[in-house]
Amino acid sequence: GATAESSAIRSRPRWKAREGAQADAQESSHRRAQDLLEIPKPLDMVRRRAVALLFAAFLACASVAAAEPDTSKVTCGSTVKLTHANTKAKLHSHEIAYGSGSGQQSVTGFREVNDGNSYWTVKPALGGTCVAGEPLANGATIRLQHVNTRKWLHSHLHQSPLSGNQEVSCFGDEDTSNMDDNWRVETQGGDNEWLRNRKVRLVHVSTGVSLHSHQQKYSRPITGQFEVCGAHSKDSNNLWIAQEGMYLPVKGSDTEDNAHGEL
């Protein structure tokens, strides 16, 4: 009897050890299962990363769009090239005078895209003012200053050399200008403002003729250049398009409004 009791007593710690080992194993298994549940699946990770990248790209694009200045309009102070809608020639001038008429600096149409003598700066009408970067509304009166010679696009009651229409010339300088340098902007297609890459008509305020060109070309010394003149007719030969140039952003569309001064 004593031996059996002693044997039973000795076996109790072994059962307790087995029970403890089983409990430890169950806890360990439970932890592993929990860890597995907490590990993101590879597909979920890819999806989360893709969403994060798309969101970051959206924010970047929104930031760029918000900071991008508006240069879609012809504004006061912009320097542009004007392309004739039909001949595709640029409104052009140079230090070559007419051999007839007024004898002033000639104005032509020239197809050479990279010629520096085809740049004109938009300035306010004589006696007027405008703010740099201010859009030009339909009906606005302006002057166009030839960049290289500093003379003004001009017209007057002289005949043009080739067609006998009204002569268009360049006249004056920074300190010399008159009312015959004023031109009125007439937009087309219902546009309320002069837009880049859209057709407009430029009407000479003093005489009512439109800035005009056609297929007639000069010979020497300006061989191959098209006549530019003023015409009373209103047709597709009176239409011009502002294309290449240095456009001042619309006032208020960038972060440097203080740089826009009155001209």
Side-chain angles (χ1 to χ4, degrees), residues 147-165:
V147 170
N148 281 355
T149 63
R150 314 309 294 168
K151 295 181 183 293
W152 305 97
L153 186 69
H154 180 91
S155 192
H156 42 213
L157 299 176
H158 289 275
Q159 283 193 341
S160 62
L162 299 184
S163 64
N165 285 315

Side-chain angles (χ1 to χ4, degrees), residues 1-225:
T3 303
E5 185 178 352
S6 174
S7 175
I9 292 172
R10 284 197 302 269
S11 65
R12 283 175 191 170
R14 293 180 184 175
W15 283 107
K16 289 182 178 180
R18 289 176 187 173
E19 289 173 359
Q22 287 176 354
D24 291 343
Q26 288 176 355
E27 184 178 354
S28 177
S29 176
H30 177 72
R31 279 201 304 269
R32 284 198 301 272
Q34 194 171 27
D35 291 342
L36 288 172
L37 288 173
E38 292 175 355
I39 295 174
K41 296 178 182 178
L43 184 58
D44 288 340
M45 293 177 68
V46 169
R47 285 174 178 167
R48 290 177 189 174
R49 183 170 294 179
V51 170
L53 289 174
L54 286 172
F55 185 65
F58 170 78
L59 290 177
C61 290
S63 176
V64 170
E68 188 71 24
D70 182 3
T71 57
S72 65
K73 301 175 182 180
V74 180
T75 56
C76 188
S78 292
T79 296
V80 302
K81 287 186 176 182
L82 297 174
T83 302
H84 187 248
N86 283 353
T87 65
K88 309 306 178 187
K90 311 293 182 184
L91 184 67
H92 181 89
S93 192
H94 36 225
E95 293 180 340
I96 298 173
Y98 286 120
S100 62
S102 68
Q104 292 177 359
Q105 182 172 299
S106 60
V107 174
T108 64
F110 191 34
R111 279 184 174 160
E112 175 56 54
V113 174
N114 296 321
D115 194 284
N117 275 321
S118 299
Y119 282 110
W120 302 82
T121 300
V122 180
K123 295 290 186 77
L126 183 67
T129 60
C130 65
V131 176
E134 178 183 355
L136 299 170
N138 180 35
T141 302
I142 61 167
R143 289 178 297 167
L144 290 172
Q145 186 175 38
H146 188 243
V147 170
N148 281 355
T149 63
R150 314 309 294 168
K151 295 181 183 293
W152 305 97
L153 186 69
H154 180 91
S155 192
H156 42 213
L157 299 176
H158 289 275
Q159 283 193 341
S160 62
L162 299 184
S163 64
N165 285 315
Q166 187 166 302
E167 181 187 276
V168 171
S169 64
C170 268
F171 165 80
D173 53 35
E174 292 283 4
D175 302 316
T176 306
S177 181
N178 65 33
M179 297 300 292
D180 287 337
D181 301 333
N182 287 342
W183 298 82
R184 184 175 65 253
V185 177
E186 292 187 356
T187 60
Q188 306 297 301
D191 294 340
N192 294 321
E193 295 174 320
W194 187 358
L195 303 179
R196 188 173 183 171
N197 296 318
R198 296 279 290 172
K199 295 175 182 177
V200 298
R201 182 175 281 115
L202 296 172
V203 178
H204 190 241
V205 174
S206 298
T207 63
V209 298
S210 298
L211 187 66
H212 182 94
S213 191
H214 45 225
Q215 296 295 333
Q216 293 188 54
K217 298 179 182 180
Y218 289 103
S219 56
R220 296 182 65 186
I222 47 177
T223 303
Q225 296 188 29

Side-chain angles (χ1 to χ4, degrees), residues 75-76 131-134 248-263:
T75 56
C76 188
V131 176
E134 178 183 355
L248 289 187
V250 173
K251 187 179 187 304
S253 71
D254 59 8
T255 57
E256 298 183 6
D257 282 347
N258 292 334
H260 294 278
E262 193 174 82
L263 298 177

